[in-house]
Amino acid sequence: MLTVAEIDALAARVDDAERHARAIAKVTDDFPAMTWEEAYAVQDRLRQRKVERGEAVGGLKMGFTSLAKMEQMGVHEPIHGFITAHGRLGEGEALSCAGLIHPRVEAEIAFVTKAELAGPDCDVGAVIAATDYVAPALEVIDSRYENFRFDLKSVIADNTSAARYVVGPVRYALYGQDLPNLEVVVEKNGEVVQRDTGAAVMGDPAKAVAALANMLARTGKTIPAGTLVLTGGVTEAVGVAPGDQLVVRYGQLGELVLDIIA
Ligand code: OOG
Ligand code: MG
């Protein structure tokens, strides 16, 4: 079992790696027997460190909700993390690679809640009732681990590679949307590099929100009203470098453009 001091030290290790944009060995190299609970304890400690220095939590995220993402990273279970207001890019704002190690971008659907969602029996119906609006989103992930390689426990401890995100400015009512059939197309420098439909995310991105509430219930937590939730990459994440431009089309939800700069 990890001691409180070891959990503290691991949170400091991933935090420093992020702040110095320097890749580190995965935490399970030192603690191969780390449990799911201990990995989330490291993530919670990391969150506390960030909050203590003034980085407000901007929302919650699910990861590995699509087969494409799971296969790309070799991890086959959904995970959750948090995003900080600090990491939010304005719509149309360029992504600077300064301060990042090896950024990748994923197309996601964002939900914003208007009522609390609590597990362990949260379902799509509850999510629909509690959704204020949905919007197209991009997540910029940047694993703090060498070569972007990790296992489940390590990526949980590293706050699910969270780095930056963009939420489109238009708020769409969920009512009347057919998110499972929403076509998501990712273009990099004018070429289509990834495409799939919303159904790639657990059959329906709303299910990822329900799954988040159910995972949080394991530690007695809920999704508060007014929470932004990123439901997970629809397709594989796309590596980016300065000079690249991504255009992501989300059918009737419009498109987002992201320029990558040094
Ligand atoms: C972990 C984060 C996964 C998603 O949308 O699936 C994630 C990673 O792939 O590094 O954010
Ligand atoms: Mg993601």
Side-chain angles (χ1 to χ4, degrees), residues 61-66 69-70 72-73 79 104 106-108 139 141-143 148 150 155 158-162 230-235 237:
K61 60 168 282 192
M62 284 292 278
F64 302 128
T65 50
S66 68
K69 277 289 310 180
M70 293 193 226
Q72 181 182 27
M73 303 315 298
I79 57 176
R104 295 181 181 177
E106 25 193 45
E108 307 207 7
E139 185 181 21
I141 52 171
D142 191 37
S143 175
F148 225 116
F150 45 68
V155 69
D158 182 31
N159 188 25
T160 68
S161 310
L230 298 183
T231 56
V234 175
T235 72

Side-chain angles (χ1 to χ4, degrees), residues 12 15 30 47 50 71 89 93 130-131 156 167 183 199 240 242-243:
D15 197 14
D30 284 351
R47 174 170 164 155
K50 286 173 182 274
E71 302 268 286
L89 301 177
E93 188 180 335
T131 298
I156 290 168
V167 180
E183 290 261 13
V240 292

